Amino acid sequence: SPGCGRNRPALNNCQIFRVVLKIIKHYQEEGQGSEVVQGVLLGLVVDDRLEITNCFPFPQHTEDDADFDEVQYQMEMMRSLRHVNIDHLHVGWYQSTYYGSFVSRALLDSQFSYQHAIEESVVLIYDPIKTGQGSLSLKAYRLTPKLMEICKEKDFTPEGLKKASVGFENMFEEVPIVIKNSHLINVLLWELEDKSTVADKHELLNLSSSNHLEKSLQLLMDRVDDLNQEIVKYNTYSRNLSKQQQQKHQYLQRRQQENAQRQSRGEPPLPEEDITKLFKPPQPPPRMDTLLIAGQINNYCQNVKEFTSQNLGKLFMAEALQGHN
């Protein structure tokens, strides 16, 4: 842990310095379509704020790079940054997303590892699709305390999740982000704004619907199909469990009747048997995958809601302007 105390107050916000442009540049250089880019966040914890002051990307490596040690690479990068007096304390990681598709088991496992080692760590999710449409999409997430306990115990059974009251709506908690740029970066942004053409500035007023909505709905339907498959698995488990309970009850009844007959004939009762060995209960399917799918569906629905509300706002504005003219 990079000096982050365990008794610190809960994080109220996450301040980002000089990191946003590096993340965007990383995706533009190495991200292609649905390709996901990831990297390490560096900074420090000040009171109830997590200040992210630097970052560096994970290098893209193929199957030929079997000898590549990712942990060793991170240690060498942080050691090099420390030598040049740059913030080198590990405070989380970042990842790009494709149309908001980031709620997965891989993200859950990675964030649990980070948050278990560094309590204040966060994951920054950068959406290049939304950003390309004119509004920066960057959100910070952490695992909730309830989900952290479940992951520590590795109890993903229906009973364990029900006991902990963990649902898809309370798996992740969003941390507010405050972006602070240096004066040089602000000057650069102003220069870029002055150099932009008039057509680019008016692009946000375009009334045509892009393929964003179509792609989001397609991904949403795919995840609904996955959720349906998980429901089928759980229904199959419930039927098998109910069938086994009936067989067990019938077996005990037959055994009780046979003992009663043996007692009436003066014979000793049947020897005791371990019922659990005769009727091994079926293994319940893990419910964590179902929760993650439900969480991803909820995220897609929020994206569709946000996109459609913006488009409806443009249409009403265009109607009002047309009526005024």
Side-chain angles (χ1 to χ4, degrees):
S1 174
C4 297
R6 292 291 176 181
N7 296 322
R8 292 185 182 272
L11 293 178
N12 282 340
N13 62 62
C14 177
Q15 295 190 357
I16 302 177
F17 304 82
R18 304 188 304 272
V19 173
V20 178
L21 293 179
K22 290 185 178 181
I23 295 176
I24 296 175
K25 181 181 178 183
H26 181 201
Y27 178 81
Q28 290 178 345
E29 291 179 348
E30 298 188 9
Q32 297 179 356
S34 59
E35 183 107 18
V36 173
V37 298
Q38 297 176 333
V40 176
L41 299 175
L42 307 173
L44 67 160
V45 178
V46 180
D47 297 330
D48 60 349
R49 303 190 313 274
L50 176 65
E51 296 187 357
I52 302 174
T53 58
N54 203 357
C55 68
F56 62 85
F58 288 143
Q60 297 282 358
H61 54 88
T62 60
E63 298 178 355
D64 299 333
D65 304 328
D67 298 333
F68 178 77
D69 190 345
E70 198 168 274
V71 177
Q72 183 65 24
Y73 167 78
Q74 294 184 43
M75 297 301 295
E76 291 179 358
M77 283 292 297
M78 288 187 286
R79 190 180 302 113
S80 301
L81 292 172
R82 184 173 67 248
H83 287 164
V84 294
N85 199 25
I86 296 178
D87 290 337
H88 60 278
L89 302 181
H90 211 156
V91 294
W93 60 298
Y94 68 85
Q95 172 182 306
S96 65
T97 180
Y98 181 68
Y99 286 97
S101 304
F102 65 89
V103 183
S104 64
R105 189 59 179 268
L107 181 133
L108 173 66
D109 294 340
S110 297
Q111 180 58 24
F112 171 73
S113 300
Y114 276 93
Q115 204 165 322
H116 182 66
I118 309 167
E119 187 177 359
E120 295 84 0
S121 65
V122 298
V123 53
L124 286 182
I125 302 297
Y126 166 64
D127 192 337
I129 306 297
K130 283 187 178 180
T131 303
Q133 294 175 348
S135 59
L136 176 64
S137 178
L138 191 68
K139 295 184 178 181
Y141 292 98
R142 288 165 43 84
L143 302 185
T144 59
K146 290 183 178 181
L147 187 57
M148 285 293 295
E149 291 298 326
I150 287 291
C151 293
K152 289 178 183 178
E153 298 174 0
K154 299 184 184 298
D155 185 12
F156 302 132
T157 60
E159 292 77 13
L161 295 175
K162 182 179 180 180
K163 181 180 178 182
S165 300
V166 174
F168 71 89
E169 67 278 357
N170 58 1
M171 295 175 63
F172 298 91
E173 58 182 4
E174 185 175 352
V175 181
I177 291 179
V178 178
I179 300 178
K180 293 189 175 182
N181 293 326
S182 66
H183 297 304
L184 289 177
I185 293 181
N186 288 331
V187 171
L188 173 62
L189 294 176
W190 286 333
E191 289 182 353
L192 293 176
E193 183 179 3
D194 292 337
K195 293 179 180 179
S196 63
T197 61
V198 177
D200 293 334
K201 292 181 180 180
H202 292 170
E203 185 66 26
L204 293 176
L205 299 178
N206 189 1
L207 297 180
S208 63
S209 177
S210 65
N211 61 350
H212 184 276
L213 180 60
E214 179 183 355
K215 187 63 179 179
S216 297
L217 291 176
Q218 181 181 354
L219 293 171
L220 174 61
M221 290 187 292
D222 292 340
R223 299 309 281 171
V224 169
D225 290 339
D226 295 338
L227 182 61
N228 183 57
Q229 294 297 324
E230 293 294 326
I231 294 175
V232 170
K233 292 179 183 178
Y234 187 76
N235 289 338
T236 302
Y237 158 75
S238 299
R239 287 195 298 269
N240 292 337
L241 182 62
S242 176
K243 183 178 180 180
Q244 188 186 71
Q245 292 294 336
Q246 293 179 356
Q247 293 175 349
K248 183 178 178 180
H249 181 67
Q250 294 173 357
Y251 174 81
L252 292 176
Q253 281 187 334
R254 289 197 303 268
R255 187 177 177 85
Q256 185 178 4
Q257 293 174 359
E258 188 172 353
N259 281 333
Q261 294 175 359
R262 292 175 66 90
Q263 185 178 5
S264 63
R265 295 194 298 265
E267 298 177 358
L270 295 173
E272 294 292 336
E273 294 182 353
D274 190 357
I275 302 299
T276 57
K277 293 183 178 180
L278 295 176
F279 299 94
K280 293 183 178 180
Q283 289 295 326
R287 301 296 289 167
M288 182 54 67
D289 293 338
T290 306
L291 288 182
L292 291 171
I293 294 174
Q296 184 60 70
I297 290 176
N298 181 65
N299 191 45
Y300 286 145
C301 291
Q302 294 297 328
N303 289 342
V304 171
K305 177 182 176 182
E306 180 180 348
F307 179 79
T308 52
S309 62
Q310 291 176 354
N311 273 19
L312 287 175
K314 293 178 185 179
L315 291 175
F316 280 116
M317 181 179 66
E319 183 181 7
L321 290 175
Q322 184 178 9
H324 179 73
N325 293 333

